[in-house]
Amino acid sequence: MSLAVLYSRALDGLSAQSVTVEVHLANGLPAFNLVGLADTEVRESRERVRAALQVAGFEFPNRRITVNLAPADLPKGAGHYDLAIAVGVLAASGQLPCEHLADYEFAGELGLTGQLRSVRGGLAFAMAARDAQRTLIISASSSHEAALIQNATILSAAHLLEVCHHLTGTQSLVTALAPTDRATPIYPDLADVKGQSAARRGLEVAAAGNHSLLLIGPPGTGKSMLAQRLPGILPPLLEFEALEAAAIQSLGQNGLDLQSVGQRPFRSPHHTASSVALVGGGSIPQPGEISLAHHGVLFLDELPEFDRKVLEVLREPLESGKIHISRAARQAEFPARFQLVAAMNPCPCGYLGHLKKACRCSPEQVLRYRGRISGPLLDRIDMVVEVPAIPDTVLLAKGPSEGSLLVRERVCAARARQLARQGHNNSTLLGAAMETHCQTDAAGLAMLQNAIQKLAWSARAYHRVLRVARTIADLAGSEAILTPHLAEAIQYRRGIE
């Protein structure tokens, strides 16, 4: 038979689209043509496949070979098509049987010796193959990642010859297993932070309701320490959340670290990062920092030092929890349900309001510095907490501070109340659900009206204050939002105005 049909996958954002690999051998001058909107790295597979087959001891057909990657309008990138093309050439030339090829999907990049190298997006391939009810044959170095998907049949292969032996029935491939020695997440402990009771309380409220948070204070007061300890007081990831986060990590440039599966992502890009680095992009769309922080924390230190245009791209993902990347040839959508934590100094020199050091900045410089952050972006931040300089007596004190474990218990209890009441976190309360679950008494309503008039809140600011107040009430175990809860929520909002 001079025609073989196999299946592989093309990465399209977080999903993997089906690709049919058709290999046809015809008489004529020897040639190797590859069609189907293939990128450079896919077209280069011709030479890798030719060398790998010859080194492995197979005969490379001295005929006119045509490889079609269908559908033709779907862009194909990366080198994971090598294995499917090589097996297709062998099957079309009669060196391998074709009967059961439709039961498999193939993903693996070939070395010139026939060795199979790792591929990007193993989790996405495994999910798609499971849904298509096919067995995925993938390179051994990517098989443990793919095996994280339950009810998927994953076969691990380290060399092209192992795949050929399996298809001929000589020796079966090994079923890949997910790693069982998954490391217990270890996060920095909140007990390391001395003093800063107000900031610790703000961090707890933010964790309990998944609220965005801005920390303002002089250098060295613990803003970065507090942000780094936020993942340690968040509830453990659910299984589907861990898999979603891992799937995005596997699409990144550095791939997936299996030991980090189940840990809350913590991303802290430098302030020189571009907008593409932050939200993702490229000719072949790649996830950016906001997607790599999905179900985790995105920490932006020295917030005013970021380019203003870079910060503005955060506005839509903060509201929608996803990012749609559109390029001339490709479009992709990545989830971006992250918790934003930002930190900044109160002024350019950093010492405005410091206990001992005098500020050298003029009022105009302070306003210009804070004006680097636009009003629409600030309006989307739920809470602002001041982190003042620590007195010497507190800094030198040796008494123990409350650790992350106790705070995490309270946060988990508050999150459990939210899930039981509305099925999701307070930060995503909208419309009728907010009207139902964020009711307050007459005194609280009067306080809100007074705050709206004096602080000139937008409708978005009003709703965010109610969500934060709902979280504070959940931490207190209260079914109703009381006046003290509203007063604390308003205090967190005043720093934005």
Side-chain angles (χ1 to χ4, degrees), residues 261-437:
V261 175
Q263 294 185 12
R264 291 272 182 183
F266 182 85
R267 306 292 299 188
S268 180
H270 193 260
H271 64 258
T272 56
S274 66
S275 57
V276 172
L278 208 58
V279 302
S283 56
I284 300 177
Q286 302 284 323
E289 292 290 341
I290 63 172
S291 295
L292 295 172
H294 185 55
H295 292 312
V297 177
L298 177 67
F299 176 48
L300 302 182
D301 200 5
E302 304 296 343
L303 186 65
E305 302 301 329
F306 282 82
D307 187 88
R308 181 162 178 154
K309 293 181 180 179
V310 173
L311 292 179
E312 293 308 299
V313 300
L314 294 174
R315 285 157 57 174
E316 181 183 347
L318 277 172
E319 296 283 338
S320 63
K322 59 186 177 181
I323 181 69
H324 186 81
I325 300 171
S326 182
R327 297 293 182 265
R330 300 286 295 271
Q331 293 185 353
E333 185 175 278
F334 296 104
R337 187 68 65 183
F338 60 94
Q339 184 168 1
L340 175 65
V341 179
M344 61 178 287
N345 296 325
C347 65
C349 77
Y351 295 107
L352 181 65
H354 197 277
L355 294 175
K356 296 182 178 179
K357 296 186 179 181
C359 175
R360 306 188 304 269
C361 305
S362 66
E364 292 78 10
Q365 289 176 318
V366 175
L367 288 175
R368 189 160 51 249
Y369 178 75
R370 297 194 176 189
R372 295 179 186 175
I373 308 169
S374 70
L377 179 60
L378 280 175
D379 204 40
R380 288 168 167 81
I381 295 178
D382 296 330
M383 303 168 55
V384 172
V385 175
E386 291 190 12
V387 187
I390 307 173
D392 296 343
T393 54
V394 175
L395 184 62
L396 298 175
K398 296 185 178 180
S401 299
E402 188 177 37
S404 295
L405 184 60
L406 294 176
V407 178
R408 189 183 195 185
E409 291 177 357
R410 296 196 294 268
V411 168
C412 289
R415 289 274 186 113
R417 294 187 186 98
Q418 297 164 36
L419 294 177
R421 182 177 59 243
Q422 70 243 6
H424 51 81
N425 298 324
N426 287 335
S427 63
T428 54
L429 274 173
L430 294 171
M434 179 174 293
E435 294 293 332
T436 302
H437 303 305

Side-chain angles (χ1 to χ4, degrees), residues 72-338:
D73 60 344
L74 178 66
K76 321 311 188 293
H80 61 266
Y81 300 100
D82 291 1
L83 179 58
I85 294 172
V87 172
V89 170
L90 293 175
S93 61
Q95 301 179 69
L96 283 180
C98 297
E99 290 78 10
H100 302 292
L101 291 181
D103 299 332
Y104 297 99
E105 293 187 6
F106 300 87
E109 179 184 333
L110 281 174
L112 299 185
T113 62
Q115 180 184 3
L116 291 175
R117 296 194 173 101
S118 61
V119 297
R120 191 170 60 89
L123 277 172
F125 293 147
M127 283 189 284
R130 178 197 60 187
D131 296 341
Q133 297 183 342
R134 295 194 188 100
T135 297
L136 176 64
I137 298 179
I138 194 169
S139 54
S141 52
S142 300
S143 61
H144 297 299
E145 172 188 329
L148 292 171
I149 303 301
Q150 296 181 356
N151 302 322
T153 305
I154 312 298
L155 298 181
S156 170
H159 197 277
L160 174 62
L161 285 174
E162 295 180 9
V163 179
C164 297
H165 291 158
H166 177 82
L167 295 175
T168 56
T170 305
Q171 184 177 0
S172 297
L173 290 172
V174 177
T175 301
L177 300 175
T180 56
D181 55 344
R182 195 181 296 180
T184 303
I186 300 176
Y187 305 105
D189 200 322
L190 198 58
D192 299 334
V193 180
K194 293 192 175 183
Q196 304 297 7
S197 57
R200 290 166 61 100
R201 168 65 177 176
L203 196 71
E204 181 177 340
V205 173
N210 198 45
H211 300 294
S212 51
L213 175 66
L214 174 60
L215 302 171
I216 301 179
T221 55
K223 301 186 294 297
S224 298
M225 285 186 68
L226 287 163
Q228 291 163 2
R229 280 147 183 79
L230 177 58
I233 62 175
L234 292 173
L237 284 172
L238 301 176
E239 187 64 25
F240 82 92
E241 293 176 334
L243 286 178
E244 277 188 3
I248 298 174
Q249 299 289 332
S250 72
L251 297 178
Q253 294 293 333
N254 297 326
L256 174 65
D257 179 9
L258 291 174
Q259 295 300 319
S260 68
V261 175
Q263 294 185 12
R264 291 272 182 183
F266 182 85
R267 306 292 299 188
S268 180
H270 193 260
H271 64 258
T272 56
S274 66
S275 57
V276 172
L278 208 58
V279 302
S283 56
I284 300 177
Q286 302 284 323
E289 292 290 341
I290 63 172
S291 295
L292 295 172
H294 185 55
H295 292 312
V297 177
L298 177 67
F299 176 48
L300 302 182
D301 200 5
E302 304 296 343
L303 186 65
E305 302 301 329
F306 282 82
D307 187 88
R308 181 162 178 154
K309 293 181 180 179
V310 173
L311 292 179
E312 293 308 299
V313 300
L314 294 174
R315 285 157 57 174
E316 181 183 347
L318 277 172
E319 296 283 338
S320 63
K322 59 186 177 181
I323 181 69
H324 186 81
I325 300 171
S326 182
R327 297 293 182 265
R330 300 286 295 271
Q331 293 185 353
E333 185 175 278
F334 296 104
R337 187 68 65 183
F338 60 94

